[in-house]
Amino acid sequence: MKRVEIASIFQNPQEYAGQSITICGWVRSIRDSKALGFIDLNDGSSFSGLQIVFEAQKLENFAQIAKQNVGAALCVTGTLQLTPQAKQPCELHAEKIEVEAPSTPEYPLQKKRHSVEFLRTIAHLRPRTNLFSAVFRVRSCAAFAIHRFFQERGFVYANTPLITASDCEGA
């Protein structure tokens, strides 16, 4: 089944309501009881994640999924249900969950806020935080607008190498 991006689900939830869809992403939070669990899954296409509801009676691997940590990569197939009475517009009721890549309990990003100084130490994971996700989205839109402005006026973008005589900090 073709993967659907979370951003397109949030743009038009009625289009996917009641349908079986597949989404893939990283676990932002996971909580479970003996028979029911919830996962906040984010694929990077949207600022918000999609809530996944998984039940022991519907999943063979319920125990394995419930043991996953924040940062695990999952592919989830299920039925999208609209939830107008809840704070999220919809949720995915899982019929099948595959673990693409597990995560360790030492995964550095958690649901809490992290300082910018701490995020400097894990630069490869910064885009998964709310702060940097928002900054990179604004930066992307601004760069696109600037490039389009100049392209429409006949300018050519030349990515020139930086040549300098400065010798500092390990150059």
Side-chain angles (χ1 to χ4, degrees):
M1 181 174 279
K2 186 176 183 258
R3 180 179 79 91
V4 177
E5 290 184 345
I6 292 174
S8 63
I9 294 171
F10 284 138
Q11 286 173 356
N12 191 3
Q14 289 79 16
E15 179 184 340
Y16 300 100
Q19 293 184 20
S20 181
I21 60 173
T22 298
I23 64 167
C24 300
W26 295 275
V27 174
R28 281 208 168 165
S29 71
I30 187 166
R31 60 191 191 282
D32 69 287
S33 62
K34 292 183 181 184
L36 183 68
F38 299 95
I39 299 171
D40 181 18
L41 198 72
N42 191 294
D43 65 358
S45 67
S46 171
F47 193 72
S48 305
L50 183 64
Q51 178 169 282
I52 311 298
V53 179
F54 63 105
E55 301 174 51
Q57 59 187 351
K58 290 185 180 179
L59 289 177
E60 297 172 3
N61 59 347
F62 179 85
Q64 178 197 10
I65 300 304
K67 284 192 255 178
Q68 295 302 312
N69 297 302
V70 172
L74 304 178
C75 270
V76 182
T77 301
T79 305
L80 190 77
Q81 293 187 358
L82 300 179
T83 55
Q85 72 282 3
K87 68 177 184 178
Q88 73 274 356
C90 55
E91 61 188 19
L92 188 68
H93 288 257
E95 296 156 6
K96 178 182 173 187
I97 301 178
E98 296 176 27
V99 178
E100 294 292 316
S103 179
T104 64
E106 295 83 35
Y107 182 75
L109 292 178
Q110 300 299 322
K111 191 125 174 115
K112 64 178 184 154
R113 291 194 185 273
H114 298 289
S115 68
V116 179
E117 291 78 20
F118 172 73
L119 294 174
R120 281 194 191 105
T121 66
I122 52 169
H124 62 292
L125 295 176
R126 286 189 304 186
R128 293 189 192 176
T129 65
N130 288 341
L131 173 66
F132 280 91
S133 176
V135 168
F136 291 155
R137 287 176 198 284
V138 170
R139 182 180 176 187
S140 174
C141 290
F144 176 73
I146 291 167
H147 286 278
R148 187 180 65 210
F149 174 84
F150 285 109
Q151 189 73 32
E152 289 171 353
R153 285 157 180 78
F155 289 86
V156 175
Y157 178 67
N159 193 354
T160 58
L162 183 65
I163 301 171
T164 180
S166 299
D167 183 24
C168 57
E169 295 188 26

